[in-house]
Amino acid sequence: MKVTEHITKANGKSLFSFEILPPLKGQNIQSIFDSCDPLMEFNPPFIDVTYHREEYEFKELPNGLLQKKIVKKRPGTVGICAAIQNKYGVDAIPHILCGGFSKEDTENFLIDMDFLGIENVVALRGDAVKSETYFKPEKDGNEYASELVSQITNLNKGIYLDEDLQNTAATDFCIGVAGYPEKHMEAPSLDSDIYFLKQKIKNGADYVITQMFFDNKKYFDYVDKCRAAGITVPIIPGLKPISTKKQLNQIPHRFSVDLPDDLVMAVVKAKDADAIKQIGIEWCIAQSKELVKAGIPVLHYYSMGKAGNIRQIAKEVF
């Protein structure tokens, strides 16, 4: 079922969903099931599965040449989506990126998803890998998420890259895209960011999932700005509980997200790691309850493969 259909069917009830990332290469899928099992009692209508580009570094050889060495891999998005749908009977939503894909790679990926009965995808540009200062699109690939959305929309119309194909079958994907309540880190302003979000909607996107935020006012203000700009699709809030003191520095740096002073100081003054984790859980519970009270259709949690704190939050909210 499509995400938009799940929202309609819920008839005003706030739904619970979460996101997982594939295990590092060499690990097995049981780690995925271990992170999903504790959360299934909250009846998630869908589970997002991220896609990760290979990360690599360059090593200098004795002859002075540079050798490209892959240092981190997280393959398996397609297989994980199939396994989740088979094991749990819920919709799995793969993320698909511009980075690392040619347009033909994208088309083949989408064909695989269609054959597996997957009805939703999240279309993302993707971030620059560590070896890049700025994002570089794949040769013959989509440069922006809006272009990727257009390609998926074309496939939904039966328009393939090979114009000579006859009697083509149309796909029927529901397309999600990312939104940034505090603007994307590369955007010059929030208004310009919303302008380009509107382009993604115009090109065929059906719903938005936001970057994490820790101040609900920023989400509500963002939704108001999007509505004023003519964006009418569902805007699903993305939530993540703070769990370590390191995240006070990592999250603002990596995601360009502000942390409220009250949250920061509570974590700074916490006596140990368990206390920090509990502070993060309680803050996210308060966020979640306010969002549910406001009638937000879906709350989406970034679990990062760790179900314990998300489960504690869900028990109090759903």
Side-chain angles (χ1 to χ4, degrees):
M1 188 184 296
K2 296 179 179 181
V3 167
T4 48
E5 293 172 337
H6 281 298
I7 291 172
T8 300
K9 188 178 177 182
N11 197 28
K13 178 184 176 182
S14 294
L15 302 172
F16 164 81
S17 72
F18 62 96
E19 180 176 301
I20 58 174
L21 68 164
L24 288 169
K25 190 170 186 178
Q27 300 177 6
N28 63 40
I29 200 169
Q30 188 58 46
S31 63
I32 294 295
F33 297 149
D34 289 344
S35 64
C36 291
D37 285 345
L39 301 176
M40 298 314 295
E41 67 177 279
F42 307 108
N43 300 313
F46 57 86
I47 299 170
D48 276 34
V49 183
T50 65
Y51 191 98
H52 285 253
R53 295 174 65 184
E54 294 177 341
E55 295 182 16
Y56 55 88
E57 60 187 20
F58 288 96
K59 179 181 178 182
E60 187 172 356
L61 299 175
N63 60 7
L65 296 176
L66 294 178
Q67 181 184 55
K68 184 177 177 181
K69 179 184 177 184
I70 295 172
V71 294
K72 187 178 290 187
K73 297 181 182 180
R74 289 187 182 272
T77 296
V78 175
I80 290 168
C81 286
I84 285 173
Q85 294 204 159
N86 180 62
K87 181 176 175 65
Y88 300 112
V90 303
D91 288 300
I93 305 180
H95 291 190
I96 182 167
L97 309 179
C98 295
F101 284 87
S102 68
K103 289 182 180 179
E104 178 128 6
D105 292 335
T106 296
E107 184 171 274
N108 292 338
F109 183 97
L110 292 166
I111 289 169
D112 285 344
M113 295 298 102
D114 186 48
F115 288 172
L116 287 169
I118 289 169
E119 298 182 73
N120 305 276
V121 294
V122 174
L124 304 166
R125 189 200 72 176
D127 297 324
V129 296
K130 290 181 180 179
S131 58
E132 299 172 347
T133 303
Y134 299 103
F135 171 81
K136 294 180 182 178
E138 191 75 8
K139 183 180 179 182
D140 301 322
N142 293 298
E143 186 172 359
Y144 302 106
S146 57
E147 294 178 4
L148 176 55
V149 170
S150 292
Q151 183 177 1
I152 301 168
T153 300
N154 282 340
L155 210 62
N156 281 348
K157 298 174 182 177
I159 301 171
Y160 290 68
L161 295 174
D162 184 350
E163 297 177 356
D164 294 329
L165 292 177
Q166 301 293 318
N167 301 316
T168 54
T171 57
D172 191 24
F173 291 111
C174 179
I175 307 169
V177 293
Y180 300 86
E182 299 175 65
K183 84 174 183 64
H184 189 277
M185 65 182 71
E186 297 175 17
S189 71
L190 182 57
D191 286 343
S192 69
D193 206 20
I194 291 173
Y195 173 85
F196 289 110
L197 175 62
K198 187 174 181 180
Q199 186 64 49
K200 290 188 279 189
I201 306 302
K202 182 180 178 182
N203 289 2
D206 299 290
Y207 68 98
V208 177
I209 294 182
T210 76
Q211 173 67 277
M212 70 182 77
F213 56 90
F214 296 87
D215 179 350
N216 283 355
K217 186 177 186 304
K218 293 188 176 182
Y219 167 78
F220 291 129
D221 288 348
Y222 179 69
V223 172
D224 288 344
K225 278 181 169 285
C226 287
R227 300 302 183 227
I231 295 171
T232 60
V233 302
I235 301 175
I236 298 171
L239 300 169
K240 175 180 170 58
I242 291 283
S243 58
T244 67
K245 188 174 287 188
K246 282 184 178 180
Q247 290 175 342
L248 295 183
N249 301 109
Q250 292 173 339
I251 288 174
H253 176 69
R254 291 185 60 191
F255 302 103
S256 192
V257 170
D258 288 335
L259 297 175
D261 289 341
D262 289 351
L263 175 59
V264 171
M265 292 311 300
V267 171
V268 167
K269 295 177 181 179
K271 61 182 180 180
D272 55 34
D274 288 341
I276 291 172
K277 187 174 180 181
Q278 192 58 37
I279 288 166
I281 289 170
E282 291 173 1
W283 188 276
C284 197
I285 288 171
Q287 276 191 275
S288 300
K289 286 184 175 180
E290 184 179 22
L291 292 166
V292 168
K293 187 176 180 180
I296 304 305
V298 184
L299 274 60
H300 186 73
Y301 295 87
Y302 297 112
S303 74
M304 304 302 289
K306 297 178 181 179
N309 52 2
I310 304 300
R311 186 172 187 275
Q312 289 187 54
I313 295 162
K315 283 175 68 176
E316 295 293 327
V317 178
F318 297 94

